[in-house]
Amino acid sequence: MLSRIAESLFWIGRYIERAESTARILDIHLQLLLEPSEVSEDEACRSLMVVLGSPVEEDLLLTGQHVIDKLTVDPARPGSIAHSLFAARENARRAREIIPSDVWECMNTTQMRMPRRLATEQSHRHFGWVRDRTAMTIGMIEGATSRDETWQFFTLGRALERTDMTARMVATRMLPTRPSWTTILWSCGAYEAYLRTYRGAPKASSAAEFLILDRLFPRSTLYSLRLAEDCLREIDPTVVRAGVNDPAARLVGQLRNQLEYLETDQLAENLHGYVDEIQTAAATISEAIQRRYFQSYAPEWTGDGA
Amino acid sequence: MASKTTGDLFEGYRRGGRDQGQAWDEMFDVHGKPRPEYREILVALDQMTQTEFRERTEALASSYLAQGITFDFAGEEAPMPLDAVPRIISPTEWGYLESGVAQRVRVLEMFLEDIYGPGRCIKDGVIPAKLVSTSAHYHRQAAGIESPNGVRVMVAGIDVIRDEKGLWRVLEDNVRVPSGVSYVMSNRRVMGQTLPELFFKMTVRAVGDYPHRLLAALRASAPSGVDEPTVVVLTPGVYNSAYYEHTLLARLMGVELVEGRDLFCTGGRVFMHTTAGPQRVDVIYRRVDDEFLDPLQFRPDSVLGAPGLVEAARRGNVTLANAIGNGVADDKLVYTYMPDLMQYYLGEKPILPNVDTWRLEEPGALEEVLDRLHELAVKPVDGSGGKGLVIGPHASKEELDTLRKTLLRDPRGWIAQPVVQLSTIPTLVDEGIRPRHADLRPFAVNDGNDVWVLPGGLTRVALPEGKLVVNSSQGGGTKDTWVLGRHADADEYDEAREPAIEVAETAEEERPAVERPEDVKPIVVHPAESSRFDLEEQEQQQQQARAEGGRRC
């Protein structure tokens, strides 16, 4: 597969996943703002923007509407839902000969229907729409692409983004609004799965364990890392008898390994540290994939000889 | 026949909305009687009211918008306009057009082989050497580059029109990178989805074969010794106006769509960057113009091609389709020699005649043209997309004065033709269904053994009233073109066949009587001049430059 196309597929996966997770986080947190709290709306919104990697300047008193404007409908702001959907579509346009037509059409239509303005009272419905549209895109890809590099690169992007976004969702626990674990599990679409697994009210240790270390829940960090590792193994054109040659695969394996053998107590004690580490690792892994597979080459000409 | 109607669709049309001068109408004869091949469709269309028909038309447009089949019109992404009234061509008439187009392609092919080879037609005085050497798209770089099966024109788009008498004539040849075939395929698909009842009771010949034929032709041209050639489509990138077409062709052929930066050359061979390392490329269906293909041979600043591509082609390690330098054959001045070339190479008369054309460098021609500028159509010889075209009767005095100066300065760069009233065809516009001028671009694929013509082609309509330029860049729309199956009753098509018979007889006499200069100087080769690049190419380059600037985060 062309490196450039692989890169587009990887980013489509990342952006689709990012749009969906951002919609989930915002939906839950904008509802939290409505509850009585000791924390000011400004402080709550400001911290949320930081967790989502999109800090805002000091001289502005933030409201929920600002969060909607900046992180939902502003296509110029990296990290916003509009930007993610736009970027996914733009990458799809560059890989249009590879992507199934119905997937392209779905992404194109989604981008066209993305509103430019959104009032607070419409936001919940809109976030639901974003989740529907991204689920539809993913479903179409799952149902209609061969498990070749097309699917591998797309899934790799999704898995890596999910690793990162789940860490961000857990990190919202550290916000001044201190959302309950129930809320966080909801925002990950994990609440019901959690209840069936642990049969009881969520508590810090088991909820963090579920979201970071669970081997069966598809949105957990560990599950996503394993998926990324599988994809990287499939993509790698070389066969090595010992060790791992691919730097990205090595990084993923190391992080996965670390989490796999981590004790739940340790995780709960240093949750902040682990969440940071996961996010940093996700960025490093992405760079390594970039260097290995997507390196764009300047035009070169090595002469007529040889 | 059932031409009684219940709906109001064609009310305005029949009541005499046909004020397009002397134009031939595709659907109705001068008495307002539908032509035989349109009778069935009129029955189907007449079941619909204006409102219903408009709703279906809107459905076509929104389907195109959703699929991203759009083009950039005045900075806005607009769906490619598709008019829901199809153009219909009877089997007999198509047989005639098809053979005329195939004949044309065979001659263009022989001409190119000769011009970049022995130059017989020049030595024998059929065409002046100077004409060839001064053609903007004659590239000395192309000499000695030949595909292993000898084909240079893998794909051709021959623009034809019907004149006032209903005669088909060739308007121009396109043997560089003719575009539009994607709309033929997508128009058919979306028409079948939104207006299925139009197809009932009619056998319309399928158009979906094109990508398979194209791939077969590309594979047939592969370097010798390569059994399983890797074929790619080379695009200038997402900002190119034909990008949709490039993706469609690559998708339907199941091959990679590459940009210049995906390719590199080494050791006289071409490779592409893949996730598994470099992979060799054998055939490039390039949708990038000659001047941008290889910075070592042409524009040094081009980033759309790959350095070394031409050398690889010269060594026979890669096939470029269409071949470099084909533009000399679609130079509009060379076009005027096509009937002679046909006689010279094939010993045949042209099945499809040209439009009468003045060569401005010939004695007396320029003077006559300058006198009659207000009634003629004047075009640049190397233009495309209707750029630079001046239609005398529609031009202002200032425009004509400017044109007069231009012609005096550069008679080689222009041709003049009488204004042909292109045939009209019923088209839905704001006021209802009205006559609009249309042309037709049939597409031909040459695999070295056979020239295959896609049944139908792209019908382009000029949407503004009375306008004679049909290009989409000038507000034109398209129509689905139906070639009917052969089982239709042949007796019904007598009327439609008439023009075909008339053509062969009159073609020779109708050409303007111009002297053929006895210029047999050797070809003077000149390097590509930057002043000759047309605007479109520069735009492509710029558009691509923008693409380089856009980065994902």
Side-chain angles (χ1 to χ4, degrees), chain B residues 133-373:
Chain B
S133 65
T134 55
S135 175
H137 299 287
Y138 174 77
H139 295 311
R140 74 191 149 78
Q141 293 94 326
I145 303 181
E146 203 181 330
S147 72
N149 68 344
V151 179
R152 290 171 198 266
V153 182
M154 287 75 171
V155 178
I158 309 294
D159 289 349
V160 294
I161 52 151
R162 254 201 229 256
D163 69 7
E164 296 84 347
K165 293 180 192 153
L167 300 191
W168 290 101
R169 288 174 184 272
V170 174
L171 192 61
E172 62 182 64
D173 306 294
N174 297 281
V175 291
R176 281 176 275 170
V177 283
S179 62
V181 73
S182 55
Y183 300 116
V184 176
M185 287 181 280
S186 49
N187 284 356
R188 178 63 54 82
R189 190 155 159 257
V190 72
M191 284 282 285
Q193 288 163 348
T194 25
L195 285 150
E197 67 267 50
L198 296 193
F199 291 85
F200 293 164
K201 291 203 282 176
M202 301 185 94
T203 321
V204 181
R205 290 184 63 188
V207 294
D209 241 11
Y210 183 85
H212 313 303
R213 296 278 187 162
L214 176 60
L215 184 59
L218 294 171
R219 291 171 64 100
S221 73
S224 29
V226 181
D227 291 336
E228 278 298 316
T230 300
V231 178
V232 300
V233 177
L234 174 63
T235 175
V238 290
Y239 290 101
N240 187 268
S241 57
Y243 182 70
Y244 165 71
E245 175 148 314
H246 307 159
T247 63
L248 185 89
L249 291 176
R251 182 150 49 86
L252 294 181
M253 291 195 288
V255 305
E256 308 282 358
L257 178 66
V258 303
E259 294 179 11
R261 58 192 158 130
D262 298 322
L263 298 177
F264 69 99
C265 304
T266 181
R269 295 180 195 282
V270 183
F271 296 87
M272 58 183 172
H273 295 293
T274 77
T275 51
Q279 186 188 335
R280 196 177 149 181
V281 173
D282 305 301
V283 181
I284 301 177
Y285 180 44
R286 50 82 172 228
R287 299 296 302 249
V288 169
D289 288 324
D290 287 354
E291 287 81 359
F292 291 88
L293 267 181
D294 185 345
L296 296 177
Q297 301 284 341
F298 299 104
R299 291 177 66 130
D301 61 334
S302 174
V303 294
L304 304 185
L309 217 48
V310 172
E311 178 58 27
R314 182 169 291 122
R315 291 191 191 190
N317 289 333
V318 73
T319 304
L320 296 174
N322 286 347
I324 293 180
N326 274 10
V328 64
D330 59 28
D331 185 303
K332 291 192 180 66
L333 206 51
V334 172
Y335 157 94
T336 67
Y337 287 89
M338 284 306 285
D340 304 316
L341 292 167
M342 225 162 252
Q343 188 67 47
Y344 178 71
Y345 290 118
L346 299 173
E348 292 173 13
K349 286 207 158 95
I351 298 171
L352 294 168
N354 278 5
V355 174
D356 305 343
T357 308
W358 280 271
R359 301 167 185 154
L360 304 185
E361 284 187 320
E362 292 184 350
L366 185 59
E367 291 71 22
E368 186 184 352
V369 165
L370 289 177
D371 275 354
R372 298 172 55 187
L373 218 47

Side-chain angles (χ1 to χ4, degrees), chain B residues 439-516:
Chain B
D439 78 346
L440 176 66
R441 173 177 287 185
F443 292 90
V445 175
N446 184 5
D447 65 8
N449 290 320
D450 183 32
V451 177
W452 176 79
V453 186
L454 172 71
L458 184 65
T459 294
R460 297 180 297 180
V461 210
L463 295 177
E465 188 174 355
K467 193 155 181 188
L468 292 166
V469 183
V470 296
N471 302 83
S472 55
S473 50
Q474 312 230 355
T478 66
K479 275 177 178 291
D480 195 7
T481 311
W482 295 5
V483 173
L484 299 185
R486 291 204 178 273
H487 74 265
D489 186 3
D491 288 347
E492 293 217 11
Y493 294 96
D494 280 350
E495 188 194 350
R497 192 163 49 215
E498 274 165 32
I501 298 159
E502 201 178 334
V503 165
E505 309 296 320
T506 56
E508 274 300 309
E509 310 157 14
E510 283 191 0
R511 251 179 318 111
V514 283
E515 291 296 315
R516 195 171 303 147

